[in-house]
Amino acid sequence: MSDSQTSIAKRHITAEDLYQLRWVSDPAVHPGNGAVAYVEQYINEDRIDYNSDIWLLPSENSEPLPFTYGPKDKSPVWSPDGSQLAFLRTLKGKRQVWIIPASGGEARQLTWAGKGVHSLAWSPDGSYISFVAKTTESLSSPTSVQPEGQVVNRTKAKSDGYGLWDNTRNHLYVTDVNSGDTVQLTFGAYDVAEPVWSPDGKLILFVARIAEHAEEDTDLRKQNDLFTIAPAISKGNAEAPRKLTFSELQIESAEYSPDGSTIAFYGHDRHAKDATQTRLYILPSSGGLAVCISETLDAHLGNAGMSDMRSHLHVGPPRFSMDGQSLYTLVTREGNVHIYQFALDGSFTVLTQGDREIYQFTLTPDEQHIIAASTHVTLPGDLFRIAISSGTEERLTQVNDLLLEEIGLSVPESFWTEVEDGRRVQGWVMKPVGFGEGVTYPAILEIHGGPHAMYSHSFFHEFQLLAAQGYAVIYTNPGGSRGYGQSFTNVVLGEYGGRDYTDLLSAVDEAIRQFPFIHPERLGVTGGSYGGFMTNWIVGHTDRFRAAVTQRSISNWLSMYGVSDIGYSFTEDEVGGNPWDDFEVLWRQSPLAYVKQINTPLLILHGEQDLRCPIEQGEQLFTALRRLGKSTQFVRFPASSHELSRKGHPQLRVERLQRISNWFVKHQI
């Protein structure tokens, strides 16, 4: 029986099915018996928030068991001896470190940070836990209860999802596991990220951007550095951090080798600014010159895959092998994210196979297996145990199987488009659920954000919903996307709306040619963030699409520069200038400049608290369209950030999906 015939017997997916989905993440393997702790997230019964619990797979071939009961538990980390599990629990809006015995029982709260905790790591002997928490820069606090103005003294004065800067910095702390005594290790006008203990427990390594002189504005510098600090265990004994690198790279996620002699990390030299592919580096743990060991592979290290099933999950650092002679890492290539093993000489082996996106992984203590959190086009995400030597796999969880058994899903088909400058652009087409031979169907072009991201072989609720409603779905990775080499990613720099625009239209042409069931005149287009920018650009340059939905979009680079949390750097790096020196450059690449040419009915969806692409971007476009008498509608989602489609209020996520499909129905796509 064919996929389409099978799907006819099942019900169609709905927007409300979001309420039943569960999301798996954060696998952690017990250092002794190999038990796997992991997180399951889900929408609560009131449909107003997300809950998450930690589950346990005690051994091979065992059924998962609930281990904690939330309501918001995440980031499990086993103690080095395996006797305890530390994790982050959020209660009353504050996230703290909690500990539970490996045998189960009552968890106890370890930290009491006033503004909550962001990460945790055990010391090698299990006596201490380091964590990062917010600390007010100024030790004095206002005593007046009268309202007063907020002084802004830094360029990055707000951040999407967090709001206006609250005069705090992320600093490093250490807590004694037995006594609870806590010591702050770092101080000053900088933020600490991703601390990791040295194997001997004498140092903690972290990433930071610390000013070289008092006048330096580090918000304007993308390069950062690795530092170490001794984990003082009594107040007043903290030392100054020691800098290991030379402020030449943009660094993230570092790790020590097992013997402590070497540090590995992800980073890049910014030669293509924000478009630069992340690579794998090593350097002596004493500091010095970092050496790139992934230079022979023209690919982005890490996960650049896009999905509406998760938002910015922590991937973690590269993982050293037990002998310290190789590193395990995720690599983004041609619609897939797989695990590679790099030897220190730069040679590599691809360890996982198939059309999929692995979004997190860890290793078993004996280094015989990988525990991977993985998704593919009909699987929102589950855990797999993968043998490193043979590649054989065992699926460990089935968190959405009962729901998926009810639903008919569309399986995307991949295609490639040759474009004028010799590049090949990858795309996918999803048939409508219930597809019938000899029938033509309307199609929706979906455009991803970034732009330096990648559609992958992953599950997309939005795409499946459109397919269930009778649309073919076209999605593609135009120039600027990651996954196809550095020169491909560079295509959009200083030329937004150039070859990325022609790539998208060429892909639509090729999809129509290869898939004759697509009706060439019944086309819609939608996208979010950069995809919203491209939607705006497309309808300002062609009337080919009958209707469009632009989401959390960019319409005017001139104002974007000063209102977005990344506007000042993104506009300079990506579009090519600033408003006072490069007015014409920015305006020429702004969709608002072409608003008179927009004839396509345009629905504008935007979050009220979006600080990445602030709502004034949607307001400007809507006001101009209304003033010109164009067909448009503006929907403002309250208390919603740039992440509405991935982790926003559950009911607003469902409403958003319904409004997208209703707009296309209204305009007879």
Side-chain angles (χ1 to χ4, degrees):
M1 184 177 288
S2 69
D3 289 338
S4 60
Q5 289 173 315
T6 302
S7 64
I8 292 173
K10 298 184 176 184
R11 71 172 178 86
H12 291 188
I13 197 170
T14 66
E16 290 83 359
D17 282 325
L18 179 72
Y19 299 136
Q20 298 186 58
L21 286 166
R22 300 178 78 90
W23 298 280
V24 172
S25 66
D26 298 347
V29 183
H30 189 281
N33 61 30
V36 179
Y38 64 94
V39 173
E40 282 192 28
Q41 186 184 49
Y42 52 95
I43 294 169
N44 64 20
E45 292 183 358
D46 295 330
R47 299 181 174 182
I48 60 174
D49 202 358
Y50 302 87
N51 287 359
S52 55
D53 309 320
I54 296 173
W55 287 65
L56 189 66
L57 278 160
S59 61
E60 293 188 29
N61 304 314
S62 61
E63 291 294 319
L65 301 172
F67 196 56
T68 71
Y69 295 91
K72 294 178 181 293
D73 296 344
K74 60 178 291 188
S75 305
V77 185
W78 293 104
S79 62
D81 66 359
S83 64
Q84 301 180 88
L85 183 76
F87 61 96
L88 300 180
R89 170 172 287 175
T90 301
L91 291 174
K92 297 180 180 180
K94 299 288 180 64
R95 182 186 299 141
Q96 305 290 349
V97 179
W98 289 64
I99 295 178
I100 187 171
S103 57
E106 290 294 323
R108 67 180 176 95
Q109 185 173 343
L110 180 65
T111 65
W112 304 85
K115 293 183 177 294
V117 171
H118 296 284
S119 63
L120 69 97
W122 288 90
S123 65
D125 65 1
S127 299
Y128 303 93
I129 285 179
S130 64
F131 64 91
V132 173
K134 284 182 173 293
T135 302
T136 303
E137 275 198 2
S138 172
L139 295 180
S140 62
S141 59
T143 57
S144 173
V145 296
Q146 298 297 319
E148 58 184 41
Q150 179 179 356
V151 176
V152 177
N153 57 14
R154 60 178 300 189
T155 307
K156 189 174 178 63
K158 55 185 174 181
S159 181
D160 185 68
Y162 297 95
L164 298 179
W165 183 49
D166 60 358
N167 198 38
T168 64
R169 294 288 188 167
N170 291 324
H171 278 296
L172 179 62
Y173 294 75
V174 169
T175 291
D176 186 302
V177 172
N178 291 322
S179 69
D181 292 342
T182 300
V183 178
Q184 182 176 346
L185 298 184
T186 61
F187 303 83
Y190 61 91
D191 294 289
V192 169
E194 304 192 69
V196 58
W197 293 75
S198 63
D200 60 9
K202 295 181 179 179
L203 295 171
I204 300 177
L205 175 72
F206 62 89
V207 180
R209 186 177 292 112
I210 300 178
E212 296 292 332
H213 49 81
E215 295 77 21
E216 181 186 6
D217 184 351
T218 56
D219 288 342
L220 299 178
R221 171 162 64 88
K222 292 291 188 72
Q223 291 85 352
N224 51 11
D225 288 286
L226 291 173
F227 295 83
T228 57
I229 193 168
I233 58 175
S234 60
K235 295 180 181 180
N237 291 336
E239 301 176 358
R242 177 173 175 267
K243 184 178 174 182
L244 302 184
T245 50
F246 302 114
S247 306
E248 297 174 335
L249 300 171
Q250 188 169 325
I251 296 171
E252 58 187 74
S253 299
E255 180 67 283
Y256 278 100
S257 62
D259 66 1
S261 65
T262 304
I263 294 169
F265 62 89
Y266 296 125
H268 61 78
D269 60 8
R270 290 189 52 78
H271 72 273
K273 299 184 177 178
D274 284 342
T276 313
Q277 294 180 145
T278 297
R279 301 196 294 181
L280 180 61
Y281 290 83
I282 57 173
L283 83 160
S285 59
S286 58
L289 182 66
V291 176
C292 177
I293 66 170
S294 63
E295 199 161 9
T296 60
L297 179 64
D298 186 13
H300 174 78
L301 272 69
N303 181 10
M306 299 286 288
S307 173
D308 58 0
M309 293 288 94
R310 62 191 176 279
S311 177
H312 306 301
L313 286 175
H314 184 247
V315 174
R319 275 81 167 179
F320 270 100
S321 60
M322 295 170 65
D323 62 8
Q325 298 305 301
S326 65
L327 289 151
Y328 299 86
T329 176
L330 294 178
V331 176
T332 296
R333 293 188 78 181
E334 297 189 351
N336 291 304
V337 181
H338 281 299
I339 300 171
Y340 285 47
Q341 185 177 13
F342 282 87
L344 299 187
D345 64 5
S347 59
F348 61 87
T349 303
V350 185
L351 298 180
T352 54
Q353 306 297 326
D355 289 337
R356 71 198 312 176
E357 178 196 333
I358 295 176
Y359 53 93
Q360 289 177 320
F361 78 97
T362 190
L363 302 171
T364 56
D366 59 6
E367 203 181 326
Q368 297 300 303
H369 292 86
I370 296 164
I371 305 299
S374 179
T375 173
H376 58 69
V377 293
T378 59
L379 184 75
D382 270 310
L383 294 184
F384 294 79
R385 180 183 284 111
I386 304 170
I388 292 175
S389 60
S390 66
T392 57
E393 298 190 15
E394 174 193 0
R395 186 175 167 194
L396 300 178
T397 61
Q398 299 86 29
V399 297
N400 291 299
D401 278 15
L402 291 178
L403 173 63
L404 296 176
E405 287 171 3
E406 303 175 8
I407 297 170
L409 297 177
S410 178
V411 179
E413 298 179 50
S414 180
F415 71 97
W416 292 81
T417 304
E418 301 283 346
V419 295
E420 290 183 358
D421 59 7
R423 288 175 297 112
R424 296 175 72 240
V425 173
Q426 186 178 21
W428 293 263
V429 166
M430 296 171 64
K431 291 178 180 177
V433 176
F435 172 80
E437 295 290 348
V439 181
T440 57
Y441 295 91
I444 308 298
L445 172 65
E446 289 270 5
I447 309 171
H448 70 62
H452 308 310
M454 180 189 76
Y455 280 141
S456 66
H457 292 97
S458 62
F459 183 91
F460 238 104
H461 184 203
E462 180 179 326
F463 298 0
Q464 291 290 347
L465 178 65
L466 291 171
Q469 295 177 341
Y471 298 103
V473 180
I474 305 168
Y475 56 106
T476 185
N477 288 322
S481 304
R482 295 207 189 278
Y484 305 91
Q486 185 65 67
S487 62
F488 192 97
T489 309
N490 292 351
V491 158
V492 296
L493 296 180
E495 195 186 355
Y496 272 51
R499 286 182 287 174
D500 48 357
Y501 168 67
T502 57
D503 283 359
L504 288 164
L505 294 192
S506 296
V508 171
D509 290 338
E510 184 64 19
I512 292 171
R513 188 187 71 81
Q514 290 195 33
F515 303 91
F517 58 82
I518 296 175
H519 196 299
E521 297 177 0
R522 297 180 63 191
L523 301 174
V525 59
T526 186
S529 193
Y530 163 79
F533 162 85
M534 280 307 313
T535 300
N536 298 340
W537 186 270
I538 283 172
V539 297
H541 288 78
T542 180
D543 295 336
R544 184 173 185 181
F545 297 87
R546 285 193 183 181
V549 181
T550 184
Q551 307 170 54
R552 59 192 186 279
S553 72
I554 302 157
S555 66
N556 183 355
W557 292 113
L558 293 166
S559 63
M560 176 82 170
Y561 184 93
V563 298
S564 166
D565 63 347
I566 62 169
Y568 58 93
S569 60
F570 190 90
T571 306
E572 291 182 0
D573 286 354
E574 294 283 328
V575 190
N578 59 58
W580 52 91
D581 290 327
D582 308 287
F583 183 95
E584 292 298 331
V585 171
L586 302 191
W587 185 241
R588 185 177 68 250
Q589 295 176 74
S590 295
L592 193 63
Y594 309 94
V595 68
K596 287 184 178 181
Q597 300 167 204
I598 296 178
N599 299 309
T600 306
L602 182 63
L603 174 63
I604 302 170
L605 306 179
H606 222 114
E608 290 275 6
Q609 301 302 317
D610 189 335
L611 300 181
R612 183 62 40 84
C613 297
I615 198 167
E616 60 89 28
Q617 293 286 307
E619 291 171 333
Q620 290 186 67
L621 184 58
F622 175 72
T623 302
L625 290 169
R626 289 286 294 178
R627 182 67 179 84
L628 294 168
K630 308 287 187 174
S631 176
T632 188
Q633 186 180 82
F634 190 21
V635 180
R636 308 167 69 105
F637 291 97
S640 297
S641 73
H642 198 63
E643 296 298 304
L644 169 63
S645 65
R646 296 178 282 257
K647 66 175 184 180
H649 190 293
Q651 294 173 5
L652 294 182
R653 288 178 68 179
V654 169
E655 179 186 348
R656 169 189 160 272
L657 291 169
Q658 292 169 333
R659 288 189 178 277
I660 292 170
S661 59
N662 290 345
W663 186 258
F664 289 133
V665 169
K666 176 181 178 180
H667 294 282
Q668 299 180 342
I669 297 299

